[in-house]
């Protein structure tokens, strides 16, 4: 049976609602060997998944004081969370991967991230990062003075 908790009352003219969230996104430091966290405020539509919005923000690059980790011309096909693992599809070394992993784990309920390239998880990103298994957050890559 349905109860009043099963319904959403929308008194506005638009079926989509906007939410504002505080996120920690990870970008590269100047030397390119560590990640630098940046706190950002993001406003997004309920029609867009939070995990997709996080990856899109990473693709836009940092505001200042850090360097991008993802080519902004990469083709993002989709991002989904299933069984607490975030699945990341079709994105273009190690900082790029953990920029995505760390940002998604901190910003969503995901505990791990499975990245696929052209739909395949049995791949190595740039020939060095094994993508065959879901990846956990790696704070060892975060610059020492920027760790939690």
């Amino acid at each position: 049976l349905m109860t009043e908790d099963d319904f959403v009352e929308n008194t506005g003219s638009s079926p989509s609602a906007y939410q504002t969230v505080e996120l920690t996104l990870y970008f590269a430091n100047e030397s390119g060997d560590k990640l630098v966290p940046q706190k950002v405020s993001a406003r997004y539509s309920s029609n867009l998944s939070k995990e997709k919005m996080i990856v899109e923000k990473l693709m836009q690059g940092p505001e200042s004081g850090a360097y991008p980790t993802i080519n902004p011309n990469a083709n993002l096909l989709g991002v989904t969370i299933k069984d607490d693992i975030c699945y990341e599809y079709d994105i273009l070394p190690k900082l790029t991967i953990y920029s995505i992993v760390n940002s998604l784990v901190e910003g969503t309920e995901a505990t791990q991230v499975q990245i696929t390239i052209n739909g395949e998880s049995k791949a190595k990103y740039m020939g060095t990062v094994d993508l065959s298994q879901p990846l956990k957050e790696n704070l060892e890559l975060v610059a020492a003075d920027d760790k939690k």
Side-chain angles (χ1 to χ4, degrees):
L1 295 174
M2 297 176 88
T3 69
E4 61 188 38
D5 294 332
D6 296 319
F7 295 91
V8 175
E9 183 178 341
N10 182 3
T11 58
S13 60
S14 172
S16 65
Y18 284 87
Q19 299 179 27
T20 301
V21 294
E22 293 294 321
L23 300 171
T24 300
L25 301 179
Y26 289 86
F27 298 100
N29 64 1
E30 186 175 4
S31 60
D33 61 353
K34 293 287 184 182
L35 292 172
V36 178
Q38 284 195 346
K39 298 277 187 193
V40 298
S41 179
R43 188 168 191 254
Y44 70 102
S45 167
S46 61
N47 293 334
L48 176 68
S49 73
K50 187 177 181 182
E51 46 277 2
K52 185 172 183 181
M53 182 266 304
I54 288 171
V55 177
E56 288 176 347
K57 290 282 185 191
L58 288 170
M59 292 173 73
Q60 291 172 7
E63 294 177 3
S64 64
Y67 296 85
T69 56
I70 302 175
N71 181 340
N73 297 320
N75 185 18
L76 176 64
L77 296 180
V79 181
T80 58
I81 292 182
K82 181 179 176 185
D83 300 327
D84 292 334
I85 297 174
C86 185
Y87 291 84
E88 166 63 35
Y89 300 101
D90 198 17
I91 61 164
L92 292 183
K94 195 171 197 172
L95 290 184
T96 296
I97 297 301
Y98 284 98
S99 167
I100 295 166
V101 172
N102 291 3
S103 297
L104 285 169
V105 168
E106 287 203 23
T108 69
E109 70 272 11
T111 58
Q112 298 178 68
V113 176
Q114 174 72 64
I115 297 175
T116 64
I117 298 176
N118 295 327
E120 295 292 322
S121 63
K122 294 182 179 175
K124 284 195 173 195
Y125 181 74
M126 305 290 272
T128 61
V129 182
D130 182 9
L131 302 178
S132 64
Q133 299 294 317
L135 302 169
K136 293 181 180 180
E137 184 177 39
N138 184 342
L139 296 177
E140 290 178 10
L141 295 173
V142 178
D145 57 339
D146 293 318
K147 286 185 183 175
K148 294 179 189 177

